[in-house]
Amino acid sequence: MSFNEASLFISKAEVNEGTTVKKLKPRASGRSYLIKRPTCHITIVLKDISLYERNLYEKNIISL
């Protein structure tokens, strides 16, 4: 099923905390320093406005 790019719109976008990548940075005298690099999960939900309008027409909410 292919969608027309012009009829797509963002219905929901959310950003959640992901895993933290932990790396060790070498320091003097054989010690190390922990570097924490946080990541995130980005979720974007698209909807097809033509399908949305078709449902409204079928329910007689919008008249032609």
Side-chain angles (χ1 to χ4, degrees), residues 11-57:
S11 66
K12 181 177 167 183
E14 58 182 48
V15 178
N16 295 324
E17 184 178 351
T19 59
T20 301
V21 178
K22 297 176 183 174
K23 294 183 178 183
L24 294 174
K25 183 176 182 180
R27 302 297 287 176
S29 303
R31 297 180 183 176
S32 62
Y33 178 72
L34 184 63
I35 298 173
K36 296 180 183 177
R37 184 169 293 169
T39 61
C40 63
H41 299 286
I42 300 173
T43 305
I44 299 174
V45 179
L46 299 175
K47 285 194 178 179
D48 189 0
I49 196 157
S50 62
L51 294 174
Y52 177 72
E53 287 178 350
R54 187 180 316 148
N55 289 338
L56 293 179
Y57 287 129

